[in-house]
Amino acid sequence: VATDAGVFGTLLAAATAAGLVETLNNPDATLTVFAPRDTAFEGVDVNALLADTEGLKTLLLNHVLLSEVLSTGLSDGQVVTMAGGSDVTVMIGDGKVMINNAEVVTVDVMASNGVIHIIDSVISFEPEGPGTVVDVATDAGVFGTLLAAATAAGLVETLNNPDATLTVFAPADSAFEGVDVNA
């Protein structure tokens, strides 16, 4: 069905590169595919995606449910775990159905092994939180001295532990003005 539609060339090339064609063609499977049309890949570095086969496979599987869900089975606020392991949120309002950031533009394209819902964007997945203390400090760009001191003290691994619950009173670089940090 996807091949015949003529608007999924990029998706099909990605599925081939990720080794998922057999999975998507399995006649014994029952699938729901939120399929980004070719225009959904505008602005996406497709070559980088194709080069990272495992990342690509996970991304594509996060557009697939391992059961058939017609549009009538979707509800506002519904959270669904995709085949790739990530959760998506269904939002329905103002005459639109959204799956995370992607708008469903055509619903219920029936296939012999499930259903396709055509979407206008590649589904994006936001990180669950702001990251570790090191991530936040690095992104802020004003904690270079603190990060250098943490590195010198061997604390980066502790501060970078995603399972740790930490509170850090972090002096910005300007707080070190006039302090001999090399002493």
Side-chain angles (χ1 to χ4, degrees):
V1 172
T3 302
D4 294 340
V7 296
F8 300 116
T10 306
L11 177 63
L12 292 171
T16 300
L20 291 174
V21 172
E22 189 174 314
T23 300
L24 297 173
N25 274 336
N26 182 348
D28 297 323
T30 305
L31 307 171
T32 298
V33 178
F34 293 96
R37 58 188 177 196
D38 286 337
T39 56
F41 289 90
E42 291 172 5
V44 173
D45 186 349
V46 175
N47 290 329
L49 283 176
L50 295 174
D52 178 10
T53 307
E54 282 306 306
L56 177 62
K57 185 175 184 176
T58 300
L59 176 69
L60 293 178
L61 287 173
N62 280 325
H63 286 72
V64 177
L65 283 171
L66 299 177
S67 61
E68 183 179 276
V69 180
L70 299 175
S71 60
T72 54
L74 299 173
S75 60
D76 189 40
Q78 181 179 15
V79 177
V80 181
T81 301
M82 306 302 277
S86 292
D87 290 339
V88 297
T89 302
V90 178
M91 296 160 283
I92 301 173
D94 298 325
K96 294 181 182 181
V97 176
M98 303 288 294
I99 307 298
N100 285 5
N101 63 299
E103 182 178 349
V104 179
V105 294
T106 304
V107 298
D108 300 338
V109 178
M110 299 308 297
S112 61
N113 63 346
V115 62
I116 298 170
H117 301 296
I118 302 173
I119 55 177
D120 70 346
S121 302
V122 175
I123 298 173
S124 67
F125 299 89
E126 296 300 319
E128 291 185 20
T132 67
V133 170
V134 172
D135 295 335
V136 172
T138 301
D139 291 346
V142 296
F143 298 109
T145 306
L146 177 67
L147 289 170
T151 300
L155 294 173
V156 171
E157 186 176 330
T158 300
L159 295 173
N160 211 25
N161 180 349
D163 297 321
T165 303
L166 304 170
T167 300
V168 177
F169 295 97
D173 291 337
S174 60
F176 291 96
E177 289 176 12
V179 175
D180 183 4
V181 294
N182 296 315

